[in-house]
Amino acid sequence: MEAFAVKNGRNYAVELSVPTEASIYEVRVWAQWPDTEFAYGHGTGNRDACRNGNPHAPPSKSRPWRMIRPGNWLVGTTRTRYPWTQPEPVAANALAWKPVYADEQHEVVELEFTDCYGNKWRRRYGKNKDGQYVQSFVLNAAREPELADYVES
């Protein structure tokens, strides 16, 4: 499971990649995104103060996506009720969306999900003290007894 920022012209989105044969559940993504792209209604979008850098939490930190099926999914911003849309399959013109690697204003910070066996995972993206890109993939909770020794708190 991966999540990363993508760009098509002046439009930015998050692409979710689920390269497994089974769906994933309770999916949450936190992304660093400019407040100006969330300037709708009475606020600046859905900020999560408990995350480092105070990133946005689509679709909202209290309501994760219940399920995402295998495949590649595009999640764009919207100026309607929520700052992020529901995931949509990446269309045939997927080449129009290019990954964003060097834009610190548009980047995925963290991803959490539950696999089909009930194990809870977290992937974090960031930089180390030398400024190099790093990521971690951590097992938060294990439903399967054979994975219990690998859970990080």
Side-chain angles (χ1 to χ4, degrees):
M1 177 70 191
E2 288 280 353
F4 48 93
V6 292
K7 182 179 180 182
N8 181 351
R10 293 184 180 201
N11 299 316
Y12 288 88
V14 170
E15 186 172 326
L16 300 172
S17 177
V18 184
T20 62
E21 293 183 11
S23 298
I24 58 172
Y25 304 89
E26 299 301 313
V27 180
R28 297 173 191 237
V29 176
W30 286 267
Q32 193 65 46
W33 227 255
D35 282 332
T36 56
E37 296 183 26
F38 293 98
Y40 65 95
H42 302 293
T44 58
N46 185 24
R47 286 289 192 170
D48 186 348
C50 71
R51 290 293 189 266
N52 186 25
N54 201 21
H56 293 280
S60 71
K61 68 179 179 176
S62 62
R63 296 176 52 163
W65 291 298
R66 290 183 187 170
M67 179 185 77
I68 298 181
R69 296 176 61 177
N72 285 13
W73 301 87
L74 196 63
V75 184
T77 58
T78 178
R79 300 199 188 288
T80 58
R81 188 169 177 207
Y82 296 108
W84 297 85
T85 61
Q86 291 295 314
E88 297 179 5
V90 172
N93 66 348
L95 295 177
W97 290 94
K98 305 287 186 206
V100 176
Y101 298 113
D103 182 347
E104 292 182 5
Q105 289 190 2
H106 297 91
E107 61 184 4
V108 173
V109 176
E110 190 169 322
L111 165 68
E112 289 182 347
F113 66 94
T114 301
D115 66 22
C116 64
Y117 302 107
N119 304 305
K120 297 181 184 292
W121 298 88
R122 178 178 60 233
R123 184 181 295 274
R124 287 187 176 159
Y125 305 89
K127 293 182 179 172
N128 65 15
K129 62 181 178 180
D130 298 323
Q132 296 171 324
Y133 176 78
V134 294
Q135 63 176 311
S136 63
F137 194 48
V138 176
L139 179 61
N140 284 344
R143 190 171 225 182
E144 297 176 284
E146 58 270 17
L147 294 178
D149 291 340
Y150 300 101
V151 174
E152 289 191 21
S153 54

